[in-house]
Amino acid sequence: MVDQYDEESPLKLVSISDSLGPNDDRNDVGKLCDSMVITMPEALKKLIEDNNNIHLKGDNRIRFIVADVHVGWILNVACELGIKGALFWPVSATLFHLVSSVPKLVDDGIIDSYGKNTTLSYFCF
């Protein structure tokens, strides 16, 4: 683990305010998500533009963004600015496959829209 900030590292981690106040409940997922979607895209765009205007040429320009799949809107901002990116999901591939299969399971009548098994049989993914 690095004990201090490495000025020479090509990777820089930054944070953007969710615009909630110090007394706001960040456990209120609806409020947090609404705040993030309303305020964070513009803040991210400004952060990238400010950084890239300072570093018009050279290695310090933001050229690629990696973001958690739950904040996928970040790639929309990156795309607007001509920046490539990737999403990652830090949970297992099995869970990703399960979640991404839900629409097909509903369409095929295996589960209903509440996730209940409608076939009364076991099934594998």
Side-chain angles (χ1 to χ4, degrees):
M1 182 169 165
V2 178
D3 292 334
Q4 60 190 26
Y5 180 76
D6 183 0
E7 289 290 333
E8 297 302 314
S9 174
L11 181 65
K12 304 288 188 240
L13 302 177
V14 297
S15 62
I16 300 170
S17 172
D18 57 20
S19 79
L20 293 178
N23 295 325
D24 285 320
D25 182 9
R26 284 179 172 77
N27 292 318
D28 181 342
V29 177
K31 185 176 185 177
L32 179 61
C33 288
D34 287 346
S35 177
M36 287 173 58
V37 171
I38 292 168
T39 62
M40 293 180 92
E42 198 58 41
L44 176 62
K45 186 175 181 180
K46 181 175 178 356
L47 179 129
I48 293 170
E49 288 173 336
D50 288 352
N51 177 79
N52 288 356
N53 286 337
I54 291 170
H55 306 286
L56 289 175
K57 295 182 179 152
D59 293 335
N60 291 329
R61 290 180 53 81
I62 296 171
R63 296 183 304 259
F64 196 85
I65 293 177
V66 178
D68 187 295
V69 72
H70 294 100
V71 287
W73 55 262
I74 288 175
L75 292 190
N76 294 336
V77 173
C79 185
E80 283 179 36
L81 299 172
I83 298 171
K84 294 182 180 181
L87 296 176
F88 76 98
W89 193 348
V91 297
S92 71
T94 303
L95 183 56
F96 177 78
H97 183 67
L98 172 65
V99 171
S100 64
S101 297
V102 168
K104 181 164 177 28
L105 293 171
V106 172
D107 289 345
D108 292 348
I110 296 170
I111 61 173
D112 64 17
S113 59
Y114 296 102
K116 291 185 179 181
N117 184 345
T118 59
T119 63
L120 299 175
S121 63
Y122 295 100
F123 53 91
C124 298
F125 294 98

